[in-house]
Structures are given as C-alpha cells and as structure tokens.
Amino acid sequence: MRHLLNINHLALYALYIPTLLCAVLPFEPIQKFISSEQQAVKKFRDLQIGELNFIHTTDTHGWLGSHLNEENYDATWGDLISFVDKLRQNVIKENDLLLIDTGDKHDGNGLSDATIPNGLNSTQIFNEMNYDLLTLGNHELYVEDNTVLEFYETASNPKFKGKYVSSNVEFIKEDGSKVPFGSKYRYFTTKNKDLRILAFSFLFNFERANQRATVTPVANALKQEWFKEVTKTYSRDDVDVIIVFGHLPVSDPENREINHLHSKLRHNYPNTFIHYFGGHTHIRDFVSLDNKAYGIQSGRFCETVGFSSVDDVKKESPVVSRRYIDFNLDSFMHHAKVKNIDDFDTELGLTVNEHIKELREDLNLTTVFGYVPSTYYMYNKPLSSPHNIYNLLTTKVLPRLVSDRPDVIAESGGRIIMINSGSIRFDLHEGPFTTDTKYTISPFSNTWNYIKLPLELAMQIESYLNGMGPILTLNVPGENRRHCPFVNDKSLPKGYTTSDDLGCEGDDTLHRSEHEYRIPNVVQSIDIINEDAKTIDFVYYSFIQPYVLEALNDLNEDQNIVDHEFSEQDCKIYGGASTKDLLREYIISLGNKSGNSINI
Ligand SMILES: *[C@@H]1O[C@H](CO)[C@@H](O)[C@H](O)[C@H]1NC(C)=O
Ligand SMILES: *[C@@H]1O[C@H](CO)[C@@H](O)[C@H](O)[C@H]1NC(C)=O
Ligand SMILES: [Zn+2]
Ligand SMILES: [Zn+2]
C-alpha cells in the first residue's frame, strides 16, 4: 500500500459526477501521439515454458482500453485475449496454460467509473477473457451496487461456474440469506498433462465491506468445517498442485497473512507444490516461501501481464520461472511468436476492441479538454521539482479553489489547502487531457471542509501528519527486499526494473530504471494574506478530517494555543470544485500549446 490511509478506502467516496462539456478544443484526429522518450530499442527476455504455465492479471481497475498516452502500455483487453490465444497455439502447445485474475476491477479508469453503477459495461468486457480461476478484490466490496453487480454478472455467470472462487467472502442476498461468493474452492484436472489441481482464493482481512458481503479473516476460515472437509476429500494423494489465488499481497511483512496461510497448508500438504497468486499492493513481485512454494504478483492498471511456469511439478525439485510482461503489443507479439498484426488478432480480440471503442465514445471519454505539456510524476520526481504532480497541484491547481460560500473568504486572513497524497492515483502524462484523464488521476470526488484556526496551529498540521505512524505510512515503491543495480543505459526504454526473490531479471523487457522518491502523506498549498490576522481557513479533504482533528487536539494539548477541544462541530463545508475538476480547468487555461496532432 503506497497510499495514505490505505487509499483503497477512499473509493468509498467515489461518486459519479456528470461531465461538464465546456471548452472542448478542436483537435484534428490525424496520427497517434508518440512520446519521444519511448523511441528506444527493445530487448526482450523470453518466457521459459514449463509443463504447467500461468497467465496472471490483477488490479486492472478498469484500464481495459490501454494507456493512451503511454506507448509502453499500448495494448487493450482485446489484444490480451488475442495474445493468450496465440500463445497457447504457438508456444504452449501440448503443455497446460491456466488464466487467473485476482480482483480489483473498478476505481481507476473512466471505462469502469463513468457508468452508474460503476463497472456496468466494463464488467462485460472483462468477462470476455476465458479465465480458469477468478475472484474479487476489496474494490468490489466498497459500494453495494458494485458487489451486487459482481455477484450476479460475474460470480454467478454460467461461463465461470466453478471457476469463480472465494474461500472467505460471502454474499448477502435480497432475502438476507448468506451464500458463498462463488465456489469455496475448485478441484479439477488440467487438459493436457492431467495434473490434479486444488484451488482456493482468499481476500485479505478487509474490514470495510458494505452490508451485502462479509469477509472472514483467513485464519478463521481455515478453522471452518468446509475447509476440513475439502482437505479430507482431497488428501495429499489426490492433489498434484495447490493454487492459492487471492486479493492479498505475496510479500506481507506487516500482517503476514500469506505466511500463516502457507504454514497451515503445509501442515495438511507437506510435500505438494503450491503456487500463490496475489494482488492489492500494485507491485511486481515474486516470492519463494519454501522450495516447493512460490507466489507471483502482477502489478496494476494493465501495465503488466504476469507469467509463471513450473516443470517437474510432481518431482522433488520443481523448476519455476516468472516474467512480468509489459502490457504492449510488441511484447505480446514477441512472446506469442507472431510476426505481423494480421496474424495476431483473433476474432474475439477484435470484437472486444470494437466494444471498448464504442463504450469509450458512448461515455464521452475521448473528449479532449486540453493538452498536458509535459509529464508530471507522483514518485519519479522529487516533490520540489516542477515535474512532480503534487508540486503542480499545490502551486498551480489548488490555489484555484473557490469556496461556494462568499462569507468564508471575506473574513479570512488567508488559507491553507491540504490533500492526502494517496488521493492521486496516477502520473499525469504528456499528451491530450481527456475526460478519462480525470478518472485516472483521481477517481474520487472529494469534498472540501474547513476549520478556522490560528496560523500558528494550522502551520503545524502538515508535519504532524507526515510524521505519523503506521496508518499514515506510505510504502516507498522500489523498497524491495533485494537490491538490484540501477540501470542507467540510455538506449533502453524507461520502465520497471523489478527485484524479487528470483533476482533482477523478471521483467520481460530490458528497461532503464527510474528514480523513486518518498512522497509525504499530505501536501498543502499555503496562501497567507495577513500574517497578523487572528485566524486563517484551514481547508482539507473531508476524508482526512479525523486525522486533522487528531493532529489539532494532540498539538494543542502540548502547546495550549487555544482553550478548546476540536471536534466535528468546528468543521464546516467549504464547497468548491474537486481536485480533478480544478486540474482540468488548469489544463484548459494553458490552451493548446502542442504542435502535435492527436488521435485517441
Ligand atoms: C452499456 O450497458 C447498458 C446496460 O446493459 C447497455 O444498454 C449499453 O448498450 C451498454 N453500452 C455499451 C457500449 O456496451
Ligand atoms: C456525451 O456527450 C453527448 C453530447 O454532448 C451527450 O448528449 C451525452 O449525454 C454524453 N454522455 C455522457 C454519458 O456523458
Ligand atoms: Zn488494487
Ligand atoms: Zn485491493
């Protein structure tokens, strides 16, 4: 979790805002925008095919229509469908290939988030993939409508009968009865190698599910009767491979959920090969839990297709391998051993791509509002850099906030505007700024509150919150267990240089490393008009209010600046546009400064 307050909780506040179609700029659709940075030559690392092979997706968050401003991730969901088909046909052949997804399909992209309920159409597109095993993530459990949609459209879809597995989540039906969210487990035999597989799926201990679902902590689920029965029915002699795929991280030094799960499974199956598939923390990762147990995690946002394989799976020393495939056509065609695009596309792949295009148009996601002159990064530039997105927000965007309430401004000595860094989800890429960009940068619709505060107190909140313990810590990306060399080779394209338990060569494409900087929990924009004024307006996302109040009371208890205990009564609605709308207005204000033609 690289996000403040576990950013996933913010999704709870993601409501649909009707799109205002003002100021649409007249761009000529001529040719695809190409980022100059991505012209470098590609070098690939090949897949190592085993008797049992896996394709793994996770945390797609609605990014089924590719990354329009990022050449490196230019493939769509339809392309992935074609890739899997061609890979099977040309490369896997008489071996086995299983397709697995580990959830989080909403919140992050207009394709999923611009409909009511969110995911209405993107779910259909997602479900065109012929998964062998699939499940849900926490983002399917925040809002009731999402949960109902997921249960009826996907978990209960005849296409996925038996294949949709959830071992520790229950759905609550209209009549109040509780049923498993799909199957509790799946036992099956693979098509080509006759491997007997027992599969479970666990969601991490998620405590904010809406009233239509319940999550049983993994440790409790393993003590339940059904689990005892399954392990009795399918004993160690009936199982060649155990697959545990779920929405939980494969490296979890804090809660160690996967480690507890593994020791329990090892108790029942001391010598069986176990493969874990994880998600949620949005990283590329591969762990070795013992010499017959491994786990892969395959990134986020359709930037990565995870591949892993195992050979000699029934022998004493199985051979495993993994690759993180960049979600682009070059990689797909390379690994599927297809030379030209006409041999690559399948009928279903093309149909799905057509559907994505139609949906994007129906939802007006292609509407171009302006042009982003250069890329603004979350982690790859320091906060002090003008190319950092938080720097852009605090210096250029947040100052544009105007309260709905004229009385607020009249009597103020100035204001501070604070946001949590976790509310921003993605880099703002050079290129056209569309309706979709708004959803990708910040899928949440924040509301602003404010408190009148003495300047002296207001000025201390930031450092208080940024120094705060576990609930507010950010995971620094790249802070992995291993330390792989920083790759500086300018001839390589920028991208992931992953380090995992198997080493430094997991990425399918050789990349140049990017610097990563630690970003604080909160950032703020300060505008003090009158240093002598008694009070200023401290404006913040309503979402972080409990933390602001905690900071205020803690600071004031030590320093006695005011004779007052702060509570919700002190917090008032400030109003004004959301950050994503302020950002859009800022981009519009820049005008069309690009000489490039764009076609999206
Ligand atoms: C989206 O879903 C609605 C409701 O099922 C349907 O009427 C509409 O045609 C769909 N649009 C697209 C582009 O799939
Ligand atoms: C898309 O734009 C058209 C034309 O401006 C409008 O009629 C339609 O309601 C919009 N659709 C959505 C989903 O915003
Ligand atoms: Zn996620
Ligand atoms: Zn998640």
Side-chain angles (χ1 to χ4, degrees):
M1 277 154 289
R2 59 173 52 164
H3 322 294
L4 165 62
L5 314 175
N6 187 352
I7 180 68
N8 293 302
H9 298 161
L10 272 171
L12 197 56
Y13 302 88
L15 300 169
Y16 178 73
I17 297 189
T19 309
L20 298 166
L21 288 175
C22 55
V24 178
L25 302 180
F27 282 100
E28 291 291 313
I30 296 174
Q31 63 171 81
K32 195 172 167 166
F33 169 75
I34 294 171
S35 157
S36 53
E37 275 183 358
Q38 302 289 354
Q39 306 281 11
V41 176
K42 283 189 183 172
K43 293 178 193 151
F44 295 106
R45 297 185 181 104
D46 287 335
L47 308 182
Q48 189 181 322
I49 304 301
E51 56 186 320
L52 180 57
N53 304 276
F54 302 95
I55 288 287
H56 177 221
T57 53
T58 191
D59 296 273
T60 49
H61 289 280
W63 284 83
L64 309 178
S66 90
H67 293 239
L68 297 171
N69 291 349
E70 288 175 281
E71 177 102 328
N72 206 26
Y73 308 117
D74 70 358
T76 61
W77 203 245
D79 298 336
L80 180 62
I81 288 172
S82 299
F83 168 56
V84 169
D85 209 57
K86 291 292 150 75
L87 183 73
R88 201 188 288 280
Q89 195 180 310
N90 298 345
V91 180
I92 304 289
K93 295 179 180 159
E94 296 311 307
N95 294 300
D96 280 308
L97 175 65
L98 298 177
L99 307 185
I100 299 181
D101 182 79
T102 45
D104 270 8
K105 296 173 262 191
H106 310 254
D107 303 327
N109 192 285
L111 279 181
S112 57
D113 303 350
T115 57
I116 309 171
N118 125 359
L120 178 69
N121 296 88
S122 60
T123 297
Q124 288 177 344
I125 295 169
F126 183 91
N127 287 351
E128 292 290 351
M129 187 73 71
N130 292 318
Y131 282 108
D132 296 285
L133 294 167
L134 70 169
T135 189
L136 74 172
N138 53 307
H139 279 265
E140 278 70 57
L141 292 181
Y142 285 103
V143 179
E144 200 173 317
D145 279 350
N146 281 174
T147 303
V148 171
L149 183 77
E150 179 70 5
F151 184 78
Y152 290 109
E153 283 294 314
T154 309
S156 311
N157 193 328
K159 172 176 179 172
F160 298 128
K161 195 166 167 49
K163 299 174 177 177
Y164 194 104
V165 181
S166 177
S167 306
N168 68 334
V169 183
E170 257 78 33
F171 179 69
I172 295 164
K173 289 187 143 174
E174 285 69 17
D175 64 6
S177 61
K178 231 187 209 188
V179 293
F181 216 109
S183 308
K184 284 253 173 226
Y185 67 96
R186 181 178 183 208
Y187 180 81
F188 64 106
T189 304
T190 60
K191 223 184 274 167
N192 296 329
K193 297 283 179 186
D194 290 325
L195 295 168
R196 297 161 307 164
I197 311 245
L198 177 60
F200 298 102
S201 173
F202 293 95
L203 174 66
F204 74 95
N205 188 11
F206 175 60
E207 293 173 338
R208 293 180 66 161
N210 70 77
Q211 56 181 4
R212 300 301 296 275
T214 55
V215 180
T216 308
V218 178
N220 298 351
L222 297 176
K223 287 183 199 136
Q224 290 173 337
E225 212 43 53
W226 71 269
F227 184 75
K228 288 183 191 154
E229 264 170 45
V230 172
T231 52
K232 211 158 75 189
T233 310
Y234 304 103
S235 72
R236 54 190 79 161
D237 300 328
D238 306 307
V239 178
D240 299 315
V241 176
I242 293 177
I243 293 175
V244 182
F245 69 109
H247 197 74
L248 81 185
V250 295
S251 303
D252 184 7
E254 221 171 285
N255 303 307
R256 300 187 59 78
E257 278 191 284
I258 193 158
N259 308 82
H260 292 307
L261 177 57
H262 182 57
S263 58
K264 179 72 187 168
L265 282 171
R266 262 292 165 256
H267 179 74
N268 287 303
Y269 301 92
N271 205 29
T272 310
F273 180 79
I274 306 180
H275 200 327
Y276 294 87
F277 296 83
H280 187 58
T281 42
H282 293 185
I283 58 171
R284 294 181 170 188
D285 198 9
F286 193 90
V287 296
S288 157
L289 293 161
D290 61 41
N291 66 350
K292 280 190 157 188
Y294 300 88
I296 190 171
Q297 195 172 317
S298 306
R300 58 162 201 179
F301 301 159
C302 294
E303 291 171 344
T304 304
V305 179
F307 171 87
S308 67
S309 71
V310 53
D311 234 351
D312 298 336
V313 69
K314 293 196 235 180
K315 301 207 179 119
E316 215 28 61
S317 303
V319 180
V320 295
S321 82
R322 54 76 182 100
R323 280 278 175 264
Y324 310 105
I325 301 172
D326 278 357
F327 213 107
N328 65 50
L329 276 171
D330 292 342
S331 280
F332 289 1
M333 288 171 66
H334 175 83
H335 297 301
K337 300 201 189 307
V338 179
K339 289 275 178 293
N340 68 69
I341 192 77
D342 295 332
D343 297 332
F344 176 79
D345 290 324
T346 64
E347 208 173 308
L348 179 60
L350 289 173
T351 308
V352 167
N353 283 347
E354 202 49 49
H355 191 177
I356 291 170
K357 196 163 158 246
E358 189 191 337
L359 179 59
R360 187 175 266 144
E361 277 159 18
D362 280 8
L363 299 175
N364 293 333
L365 300 179
T366 45
T367 307
V368 175
F369 291 99
Y371 187 86
V372 182
S374 69
T375 300
Y376 297 93
Y377 298 92
M378 294 170 66
Y379 303 108
N380 302 137
K381 295 283 175 190
L383 197 54
S384 56
S385 160
H387 298 290
N388 178 288
I389 190 167
Y390 299 105
N391 186 297
L392 175 77
L393 290 171
T394 54
T395 59
K396 302 277 173 41
V397 177
L398 293 177
R400 302 173 71 93
L401 178 64
V402 179
S403 172
D404 289 347
R405 305 175 46 174
D407 57 309
V408 172
I409 301 157
E411 55 190 49
S412 174
R415 68 176 176 180
I416 293 176
I417 304 170
M418 176 180 281
I419 65 170
N420 56 315
S421 57
S423 64
I424 300 301
R425 295 281 271 187
F426 204 64
D427 295 338
L428 176 60
H429 284 274
E430 178 181 343
F433 187 100
T434 64
T435 311
D436 203 24
T437 314
K438 255 179 30 165
Y439 287 102
T440 62
I441 301 301
S442 187
F444 319 106
S445 72
N446 59 275
T447 53
W448 301 105
N449 283 0
Y450 80 107
I451 312 183
K452 288 215 168 289
L453 291 175
L455 181 62
E456 189 188 353
L457 196 52
M459 287 298 280
Q460 296 183 62
I461 300 172
E462 182 191 36
S463 58
Y464 182 96
L465 292 177
N466 285 337
M468 214 163 159
I471 46 159
L472 285 168
T473 49
L474 285 161
N475 231 9
V476 177
E479 210 173 51
N480 277 1
R481 297 169 308 278
R482 285 167 173 278
H483 290 284
C484 292
F486 188 90
V487 182
N488 235 334
D489 184 344
K490 294 271 190 301
S491 73
L492 299 173
K494 275 187 189 170
Y496 286 97
T497 48
T498 309
S499 79
D500 63 22
D501 278 3
L502 293 189
C504 305
E505 310 208 314
D507 304 296
D508 84 314
T509 309
L510 274 74
H511 291 137
R512 170 156 52 113
S513 306
E514 294 183 84
H515 288 283
E516 287 177 335
Y517 299 88
R518 185 181 274 278
I519 296 300
N521 293 328
V522 291
V523 293
Q524 65 185 12
S525 165
I526 306 176
D527 181 16
I528 304 304
I529 303 163
N530 176 3
E531 292 273 357
D532 301 325
K534 271 228 200 68
T535 60
I536 60 131
D537 297 325
F538 184 81
V539 186
Y540 55 90
Y541 279 169
S542 56
F543 175 72
I544 62 171
Q545 185 160 298
Y547 301 94
V548 169
L549 287 173
E550 185 186 329
L552 283 174
N553 286 323
D554 216 22
L555 289 163
N556 193 46
E557 200 180 287
D558 288 349
Q559 302 169 27
N560 262 310
I561 297 169
V562 291
D563 185 16
H564 179 72
E565 171 103 11
F566 291 95
S567 74
E568 281 178 20
Q569 259 99 57
D570 300 299
C571 308
K572 304 208 173 66
I573 292 169
Y574 192 78
S578 63
T579 301
K580 60 182 173 188
D581 285 331
L582 293 173
L583 178 63
R584 187 189 58 181
E585 285 160 26
Y586 169 72
I587 298 295
I588 291 170
S589 78
L590 298 179
N592 175 15
K593 292 190 180 154
S594 93
N596 290 319
S597 308
I598 43 181
N599 176 17
I600 47 164

